[in-house]
Amino acid sequence: MISLSNITKIYSSPNGDVKAVDQINLRIKKGEIFGIIGYSGAGKSTLIRLLNGLEKPTSGSIEIGGIRIDEIKGEKLRKARQEISMIFQHFNLLWSRTIEENISFPLEIAGVEKKERIKRVRELIKLVGLEGREKAYPSQLSGGQKQRVGIARALANNPKVLLCDEATSALDPQTTDSILDLLVDINERLGLTIVLITHEMHVIRKICHRVAVMENGRIVEEGEVLNVFRHP
Ligand code: ADP
Ligand code: ADP
């Protein structure tokens, strides 16, 4: 499903070049929940932005669902990115729009007609358990509810891959668990491939099938979660 070959990303800065990602090779299978863990500065965000086509690698190739995401741009990249959606630590919701308008937004951008949008938004609201909150604004919701909106919006156009960028890092432990349960439910029900980055071991242990540990732009360990993080 996802294949990264010899990916290197170098940022040029006034203080010299920074190698954020260094010769990474990775295969992620369809339907897998794959975790990438590492300390701050390890290169996780850069890796996820490369997967999302927001950044281009300095060298190497990235294939997602048969598309060379590192090679395309413009309209082709825009189309491909509908299949690769993302949720964020701070949710990135539109604060002046209601919950249903937030969820409908990517459907409008994709040119889905109104009747179909209304139907789809209703399904998504139900999927993430926000019935009754359709007309509320993000500021009226708890953190966990905001992330449910983020998830519904991310799923609107039926993506093949969901990228999660520290999606539970702003939430308390209990809310974190409820969001992780929802992600597992979506993974199982829709067969969606999920790639998540986190600095929290708990997140990896709770929902990931496989994990890669990043350090200084490199993958230093990779495998089944049970093997990589064996309880002593
Ligand atoms: P993580 O998400 O694991 O914290 P990042 O991918 O954000 O790691 O950062 C990896 C390295 O790349 C860090 O040294 C960071 O300072 C550097 N970096 C990230 N983004 C940029 C950028 N846009 N310009 C220059 N350096 C960057
Ligand atoms: P959280 O408390 O869930 O972390 P924040 O309140 O920090 O969320 O908001 C996340 C992002 O949204 C920030 O970049 C913030 O500036 C922006 N934001 C928050 N409230 C509003 C608002 N009413 N209108 C526009 N942007 C907002």
Side-chain angles (χ1 to χ4, degrees):
M1 176 83 217
I2 300 177
S3 164
L4 288 90
S5 306
N6 290 313
I7 288 295
T8 293
K9 175 68 184 180
I10 298 170
Y11 293 109
S12 300
S13 82
N15 307 321
D17 288 352
V18 180
K19 204 181 262 186
V21 169
D22 188 4
Q23 290 285 325
I24 281 189
N25 290 289
L26 198 60
R27 302 266 176 286
I28 298 172
K29 290 177 249 172
K30 185 167 158 45
E32 191 164 41
I33 303 183
F34 193 94
I36 298 166
I37 190 167
Y39 295 117
S40 177
K44 306 181 299 294
S45 307
T46 301
L47 194 63
I48 215 162
R49 291 212 303 272
L50 287 163
L51 288 173
N52 195 20
L54 280 170
E55 298 273 6
K56 298 285 184 196
T58 306
S59 59
S61 62
I62 304 174
E63 201 182 300
I64 301 181
I67 295 170
R68 277 288 299 274
I69 207 79
D70 57 309
E71 283 189 332
I72 57 173
K73 49 188 174 187
E75 181 63 12
K76 270 192 183 154
L77 179 60
R78 205 182 60 77
K79 269 264 180 284
R81 290 187 58 197
Q82 284 179 5
E83 312 260 283
I84 310 162
S85 53
M86 191 146 160
I87 58 173
F88 307 88
Q89 179 172 5
H90 294 294
F91 324 119
N92 295 12
L93 303 178
L94 299 167
W95 297 84
S96 60
R97 297 192 188 211
T98 64
I99 300 321
E100 62 186 7
E101 287 166 351
N102 266 278
I103 299 172
S104 185
F105 193 64
L107 296 167
E108 282 171 48
I109 291 177
V112 176
E113 66 166 82
K114 187 162 179 190
K115 216 172 128 200
E116 185 58 31
R117 288 204 305 266
I118 291 170
K119 181 164 163 266
R120 183 78 185 125
V121 169
R122 199 172 298 145
E123 287 168 5
L124 290 159
I125 293 257
K126 186 154 179 260
L127 180 73
V128 301
L130 284 175
E131 294 104 323
R133 306 300 279 148
E134 292 84 351
K135 308 286 180 202
Y137 286 86
S139 59
Q140 298 172 296
L141 301 185
S142 69
Q145 288 175 326
K146 283 182 210 160
Q147 195 56 288
R148 285 172 191 270
V149 178
I151 292 170
R153 179 183 57 182
L155 297 179
N157 285 312
N158 285 311
K160 294 196 178 79
V161 179
L162 177 66
L163 305 174
C164 310
D165 185 356
E166 298 281 2
T168 56
S169 300
L171 306 174
D172 62 62
Q174 224 176 332
T175 309
T176 291
D177 280 349
S178 76
I179 293 296
L180 295 178
D181 288 340
L182 176 61
L183 291 176
V184 170
D185 182 47
I186 287 163
N187 166 259
E188 288 173 356
R189 268 209 261 177
L190 310 178
L192 188 70
T193 306
I194 298 180
V195 182
L196 63 87
I197 65 173
T198 183
H199 62 277
E200 295 173 305
M201 187 78 91
H202 167 74
V203 170
I204 300 282
R205 280 198 205 275
K206 187 167 159 81
I207 71 166
C208 293
H209 304 135
R210 286 195 302 141
V211 62
V213 182
M214 273 190 90
E215 239 176 69
N216 296 322
R218 290 178 167 265
I219 290 177
V220 293
E221 210 167 339
E222 187 200 333
E224 306 276 329
V225 173
L226 289 175
N227 294 331
V228 174
F229 300 122
R230 215 185 281 275
H231 277 291

